[in-house]
Amino acid sequence: LSDFKKFELIVDPESLPFVILRCIDGDDIQIPAVEPVGLVENYKLNIGDADAEMLGLTGADANPLILNVATIKSFDPQKVTLNLAAPILVNRRTRVGKQVVLVNYQDYSTAHVLIDQTSEGPQG
């Protein structure tokens, strides 16, 4: 996808929490993604200095839009996975975005199950 540089973010209230990144460079490429806030507990982004600098994520701009690419194997919720190791970060002011590999990528899965229905909930 490195040849494709311009995307628009499509937000359909009926499809939330899923959004679509649609390529506007010509090819009909659509990437489903999810904003992890409220869906993934204790998700800590540790991004490299070069990525932070390239995206301008400093000072007031240090709060990027975070999108995790979703793989939808079927529409059963337990069949949807997220790539937490390499989120797409977008500077909210400049709208420059990039998929970055987190410095702490080893803490996260590239196929995190969005809804784990096998867990029994809190013990106690």
Side-chain angles (χ1 to χ4, degrees), residues 18 38-41 76-82 84 109 111-123:
F18 297 98
L39 292 175
V40 181
E41 289 185 29
D76 293 333
Q78 63 272 27
K79 298 279 197 270
V80 176
T81 61
L82 302 179
L84 297 184
S109 171
H112 173 82
V113 177
L114 181 57
I115 297 175
D116 183 0
Q117 295 185 335
T118 61
S119 67
E120 298 299 316
Q123 298 297 314

Side-chain angles (χ1 to χ4, degrees), residues 3 5 7-8 12 14 20 31 36 39-40 51 55 65 69 72 76-77 82 84 88 96 99 109-110 113 115 122-123:
D3 292 341
K5 307 278 187 214
F7 288 81
E8 65 179 341
D12 177 354
E14 292 185 15
I20 298 290
I31 302 168
L39 292 175
V40 181
D51 287 327
L55 290 167
L65 172 65
V69 175
I72 303 172
D76 293 333
L82 302 179
L84 297 184
I88 296 169
V96 172
Q99 185 170 24
S109 171
T110 57
V113 177
I115 297 175
Q123 298 297 314

Side-chain angles (χ1 to χ4, degrees), residues 2-123:
S2 60
D3 292 341
F4 302 102
K5 307 278 187 214
K6 294 184 179 178
F7 288 81
E8 65 179 341
L9 182 63
I10 300 171
V11 179
D12 177 354
E14 292 185 15
S15 300
L16 291 174
F18 297 98
V19 297
I20 298 290
L21 282 169
R22 187 169 72 89
C23 180
I24 55 176
D25 281 339
D27 281 32
D28 190 26
I29 295 173
Q30 298 190 29
I31 302 168
V34 169
E35 199 171 354
V37 177
L39 292 175
V40 181
E41 289 185 29
N42 303 316
Y43 187 41
K44 303 277 189 258
L45 298 185
N46 185 347
I47 65 171
D49 292 342
D51 287 327
E53 187 174 324
M54 180 267 171
L55 290 167
L57 297 177
T58 57
D61 287 335
N63 180 27
L65 172 65
I66 304 163
L67 295 171
N68 296 106
V69 175
T71 300
I72 303 172
K73 297 179 178 72
S74 84
F75 287 101
D76 293 333
Q78 63 272 27
K79 298 279 197 270
V80 176
T81 61
L82 302 179
N83 179 345
L84 297 184
I88 296 169
L89 303 181
V90 180
N91 181 313
R92 294 175 190 268
R93 184 177 56 83
T94 64
R95 297 186 177 180
V96 172
K98 179 184 179 192
Q99 185 170 24
V100 303
V101 176
L102 298 178
V103 173
N104 56 332
Y105 70 90
Q106 67 278 4
D107 295 342
Y108 297 106
S109 171
T110 57
H112 173 82
V113 177
L114 181 57
I115 297 175
D116 183 0
Q117 295 185 335
T118 61
S119 67
E120 298 299 316
Q123 298 297 314

